Amino acid sequence: RRRAWFTGVTASGFSRPLGFAWLTGGSIRFRLYSAFGLSAVEIAQVVAFAGLTVWIGVTSLAGSVLALAPHDAAEVFSLPLWAIRAIGIVVLALPLGYVVVVHLRRRPIHVLGWRILPPRPRLALAPWAFGVADWTVAAAVLRVLLPPAVHVSFPAFLALFVIAQVAGLVSHVPGGLGVFESIIVLALGQTVGAPELLGSLVVYRVTYYVLPFLVAATSLAVYEGRERRETVSRVARTISRWVPAFAPRVLAVITFLAGTVLLVSGALPAAHGRLRMLGELVPLGVIEASHFLGSITGVGLLILSWGIARRLDGAFHLTVALLGGGIVASLL
């Protein structure tokens, strides 16, 4: 169960922002589940079941809202009530038909040469519950982030959210980026300005897409690092042999560039607004002295870069001290 949770969270963290869930999330599931001992057929069943969970949740929510609360949906879509209710009934028939099939048919279903065994009724209800809960929570997160000026009921917003998400999934744009936002702005832009809506959508993207992606990428990197300890150790040993040869030269170049920046900064005229602000805080003599000290520090760093390239300890310590003084001079 721990491995299943790890694989599911990691695959979902990649598939949501990158799109093409069957390719991104599916490849990660194949990589991890094959390492855990599952066959290719079993992994394909898991991937199909995960995709089924997504679409069961989408169709259940959209159909329920459109069929049972058409008045709320009419606030957003500006369609006749009968049309909204009819669309909801058609959409809701898909998950209901799925449940009926798994309860009534126990023999395999043959589709285009594929032999599909319906899941057990108890197992079939699990994706329904999890899918509906997942999409409802995602919609609630965005609803909380919307500006207070947006006055729309949660059922109506839930229908809008699901339709926008489906449009993003069908477009196969990574994470539905741009497609999802355009539908939300077009539907709610009449009550509140587009900049406010886009700000909420950006925060939602970070919360629901970027952060899970970073967690998934970190988890996968840690897992691969543990699985390949010997390779990582060998690379680390190779790097440790090369670093002592290149580090002094790299630090010398950086020190030389820092000295050059200080000299150029001291030679260029200062911004009048900054001088006026500093003149109110410190005496003019301190400002002029800081420019002079910055130039002296720049010359010192140019000279010390030669000593760092030759690995002189004294040059290193003097460089650290001069860089501290250069920071103060640059701030002034």
Side-chain angles (χ1 to χ4, degrees), residues 8 18 25-26 48 72 103 143 157 165 194 202 209 216 224 226 251 295 310:
L18 299 181
D72 295 319
H103 276 80
R143 183 65 185 86
F157 177 77
Q165 287 284 5
V202 168
Y209 288 83
E224 293 293 344
R226 290 181 177 178
L251 291 176
S295 300
R310 283 154 180 76

Side-chain angles (χ1 to χ4, degrees), residues 151-223:
H151 298 290
V152 61
S153 63
F154 184 72
F157 177 77
L158 186 59
L160 171 63
F161 177 85
V162 171
I163 290 175
Q165 287 284 5
V166 170
L169 291 172
V170 173
S171 67
H172 284 301
V173 176
L177 185 63
V179 180
F180 174 76
E181 286 80 2
S182 298
I183 295 176
I184 297 294
V185 171
L186 287 175
L188 302 179
Q190 299 176 355
T191 58
V192 66
E196 291 80 1
L197 283 176
L198 289 176
S200 301
L201 291 169
V202 168
V203 176
Y204 173 76
R205 284 284 181 183
V206 173
T207 304
Y208 231 76
Y209 288 83
V210 177
L211 293 180
F213 174 74
L214 295 177
V215 172
T218 303
S219 302
L220 186 62
V222 171
Y223 169 79

Side-chain angles (χ1 to χ4, degrees), residues 262-284:
L262 285 173
L263 287 175
V264 174
S265 176
L268 294 176
H272 295 289
R274 184 183 301 175
L275 286 177
R276 185 169 55 254
M277 181 183 64
L278 288 175
E280 298 175 356
L281 300 176
V282 295
L284 179 61

Side-chain angles (χ1 to χ4, degrees), residues 62-63 65-67 69-71 73-74 77-91 163:
V65 172
L66 296 177
H71 295 279
F77 302 111
S78 301
L79 292 175
L81 293 180
W82 65 267
I84 293 178
R85 184 177 282 112
I87 295 173
I89 292 174
V90 172
V91 174
I163 290 175

Side-chain angles (χ1 to χ4, degrees), residues 11-285:
S12 177
F14 276 91
S15 62
R16 280 183 182 274
L18 299 181
F20 296 97
W22 57 272
L23 179 62
T24 54
S27 60
I28 291 176
R29 283 189 170 92
F30 184 84
R31 168 70 186 92
L32 296 177
Y33 278 137
S34 60
F36 297 151
L38 271 67
S39 65
V41 175
E42 292 170 332
I43 297 173
Q45 291 175 341
V46 173
V47 173
F49 201 70
L52 181 65
T53 302
V54 173
W55 289 105
I56 286 290
V58 168
T59 54
S60 299
L61 277 179
S64 300
V65 172
L66 296 177
L68 303 179
H71 295 279
D72 295 319
E75 299 176 12
V76 177
F77 302 111
S78 301
L79 292 175
L81 293 180
W82 65 267
I84 293 178
R85 184 177 282 112
I87 295 173
I89 292 174
V90 172
V91 174
L92 192 58
L94 299 176
L96 292 176
Y98 163 75
V99 174
V100 170
V101 168
V102 298
H103 276 80
L104 298 181
R105 186 179 180 92
R106 303 305 310 144
R107 292 178 297 173
I109 301 174
H110 297 274
V111 179
L112 299 177
W114 289 84
R115 180 176 176 271
I116 303 174
L117 181 64
R120 299 185 303 275
R122 182 179 178 183
L123 185 62
L125 294 177
W128 197 335
F130 281 105
V132 170
D134 180 29
W135 287 102
T136 303
V137 171
V141 170
L142 180 56
R143 183 65 185 86
V144 171
L145 294 173
L146 289 178
V150 176
H151 298 290
V152 61
S153 63
F154 184 72
F157 177 77
L158 186 59
L160 171 63
F161 177 85
V162 171
I163 290 175
Q165 287 284 5
V166 170
L169 291 172
V170 173
S171 67
H172 284 301
V173 176
L177 185 63
V179 180
F180 174 76
E181 286 80 2
S182 298
I183 295 176
I184 297 294
V185 171
L186 287 175
L188 302 179
Q190 299 176 355
T191 58
V192 66
E196 291 80 1
L197 283 176
L198 289 176
S200 301
L201 291 169
V202 168
V203 176
Y204 173 76
R205 284 284 181 183
V206 173
T207 304
Y208 231 76
Y209 288 83
V210 177
L211 293 180
F213 174 74
L214 295 177
V215 172
T218 303
S219 302
L220 186 62
V222 171
Y223 169 79
E224 293 293 344
R226 290 181 177 178
E227 291 295 313
R228 292 169 171 77
R229 291 189 183 93
E230 295 183 0
T231 303
V232 174
S233 300
R234 185 167 58 253
V235 172
R237 288 194 298 269
T238 302
I239 293 176
S240 64
R241 289 196 299 267
W242 285 95
V243 165
F246 285 99
R249 294 177 174 83
V250 173
L251 291 176
V253 172
I254 295 174
T255 303
F256 187 88
L257 292 176
T260 303
V261 168
L262 285 173
L263 287 175
V264 174
S265 176
L268 294 176
H272 295 289
R274 184 183 301 175
L275 286 177
R276 185 169 55 254
M277 181 183 64
L278 288 175
E280 298 175 356
L281 300 176
V282 295
L284 179 61

